[in-house]
Amino acid sequence: MLKEMEKRTLIEKALEAKRNSYSPYSKFAVGAALLTEDGEIFQGANVENASIGLTICAERSAIVSAVSHGKTKFRAIAIVGSQKSPTPPCGACRQFMAEFGDFTVLLIGENEILETTVFELLPLQFNLEGE
Ligand code: THU
């Protein structure tokens, strides 16, 4: 269970990360903050590219950063987009998060926070047999 204080910190960190979004094409900035099991927070922002398909979402940026620092066990991720309602992660990000198991997902809207989990967002995710 996430404590209220942890939630607040994660939300602030996701908002802070959103400010680093590189999104000149969609103008839709997204920020994410990922809490590891040992209490560290890794931030990520969406990074777009003129070759649109190469765009990397904020959630994947945060996960790549954490894994690059040797962290693969997560408790929660907060995601904030650029719309009033909470921004649900895209399908690719759901599969990417599911690689690292089930953890809390906080979707931050202007007046609303949706709390869900990775496996709730992606039931029956693809797995290699025996992994
Ligand atoms: N985006 C994310 O960063 N995360 C998602 O889960 C959904 C979409 C980004 C990708 C692109 O830069 C912009 O939002 C508009 O699609």
Side-chain angles (χ1 to χ4, degrees), residues 23 26 28 30 46-48 55-59 87-90 93:
S23 42
S26 73
F28 191 89
V30 185
N46 54 332
V47 181
E48 299 186 344
T55 291
I56 302 176
C57 295
E59 300 89 320
T87 299
C90 76
C93 286

Side-chain angles (χ1 to χ4, degrees), residues 10 14 20-21 31-33 36-37 44 46-47 59 64 75 81 104-105 125:
L10 264 192
N20 293 327
S21 163
T36 65
E37 259 186 22
N46 54 332
V47 181
E59 300 89 320
V64 167
R75 289 183 57 210
T104 299
V105 181
Q125 65 270 166

Side-chain angles (χ1 to χ4, degrees), residues 87-106:
T87 299
C90 76
C93 286
R94 291 176 197 215
Q95 180 69 36
F96 209 84
M97 291 191 288
E99 179 71 23
F100 300 99
D102 201 14
F103 50 91
T104 299
V105 181
L106 297 172

